[in-house]
Amino acid sequence: MVKRVVEFPKFIILPEVPEYVLGAVEFNNTMVPIIDFKNKLFGEKVEENPSSKVILCNWEDNSLGLLIEEIIGITELTETDYEAEIERANLKRGYVDKFLKLKDDVVISINLTYLFDNKQEDQILDALEETASEGTFDDSTEE
């Protein structure tokens, strides 16, 4: 699902979106919403620093940018059988795809399709459509 990793971009603020939506950036002539990933999942804002990056991902036939504090590395992870146990305890959320092993730690693989409920998704897509229709990212116009 990951397209690429980019430096933290300057973004356009979108109206009437949840707090975890920082705004949008133009990428390949489309508007890409930028989500504060930590805020969306845990209610805490990402501490912006020189290591902050945006991961551009495929989402709902669109693109989505996830602001993260840093990338520690790229590595192969081992699948676990923890999903069934977490599901039985009624702790698994729809956006949790898998639990993976990273050395002695367990990390979560996120399924972006289920990260937002329908209302949140509609708010983000509507704000992007409104911003795009206003020509906010049109590079062809001269000032």
Side-chain angles (χ1 to χ4, degrees), residues 8-61:
F8 185 65
K10 182 177 177 184
F11 51 84
I12 300 165
I13 296 174
L14 299 173
E16 299 181 39
V17 292
E19 181 181 359
Y20 56 81
V21 179
L22 299 174
V25 297
E26 186 273 329
F27 181 74
N28 288 343
N29 292 322
T30 61
M31 295 301 291
V32 178
I34 304 298
I35 305 299
D36 182 330
F37 204 44
K38 187 175 183 181
N39 192 350
K40 172 62 178 142
L41 295 178
F42 305 109
E44 300 172 17
K45 294 186 179 202
V46 165
E47 296 284 332
E48 293 178 40
N49 62 63
S51 300
S52 296
K53 302 282 189 252
V54 172
I55 300 174
L56 296 177
C57 305
N58 294 319
W59 171 70
E60 299 294 318
D61 298 326

Side-chain angles (χ1 to χ4, degrees), residues 4 6 13-14 21 27 34 42 61 63-64 66 82 101 120 127:
R4 70 187 319 166
V6 297
I13 296 174
L14 299 173
V21 179
F27 181 74
I34 304 298
F42 305 109
D61 298 326
S63 293
L64 181 71
L66 303 174
Y82 298 152
K101 205 70 164 135
Q120 294 167 334

Side-chain angles (χ1 to χ4, degrees), residues 64-84:
L64 181 71
L66 303 174
L67 174 64
I68 58 168
E69 290 177 349
E70 69 178 318
I71 294 178
I72 297 170
I74 300 172
T75 187
E76 193 169 315
L77 304 172
T78 307
E79 289 193 31
T80 69
D81 295 325
Y82 298 152
E83 288 88 17

Side-chain angles (χ1 to χ4, degrees), residues 61-129:
D61 298 326
N62 295 293
S63 293
L64 181 71
L66 303 174
L67 174 64
I68 58 168
E69 290 177 349
E70 69 178 318
I71 294 178
I72 297 170
I74 300 172
T75 187
E76 193 169 315
L77 304 172
T78 307
E79 289 193 31
T80 69
D81 295 325
Y82 298 152
E83 288 88 17
E85 295 171 28
I86 297 294
E87 219 168 282
R88 276 195 299 275
N90 201 24
L91 297 174
K92 186 174 177 187
R93 302 290 176 248
Y95 56 80
V96 174
D97 187 31
K98 297 177 186 171
F99 292 89
L100 303 168
K101 205 70 164 135
L102 175 64
K103 297 180 184 172
D104 293 331
D105 294 326
V106 175
V107 296
I108 300 171
S109 172
I110 301 293
N111 184 336
L112 294 180
T113 303
Y114 304 107
L115 187 59
F116 308 101
D117 64 30
N118 290 340
K119 182 180 176 187
Q120 294 167 334
E121 183 178 313
D122 289 345
Q123 282 180 310
I124 295 168
L125 293 173
D126 289 347
L128 286 176
E129 188 174 297

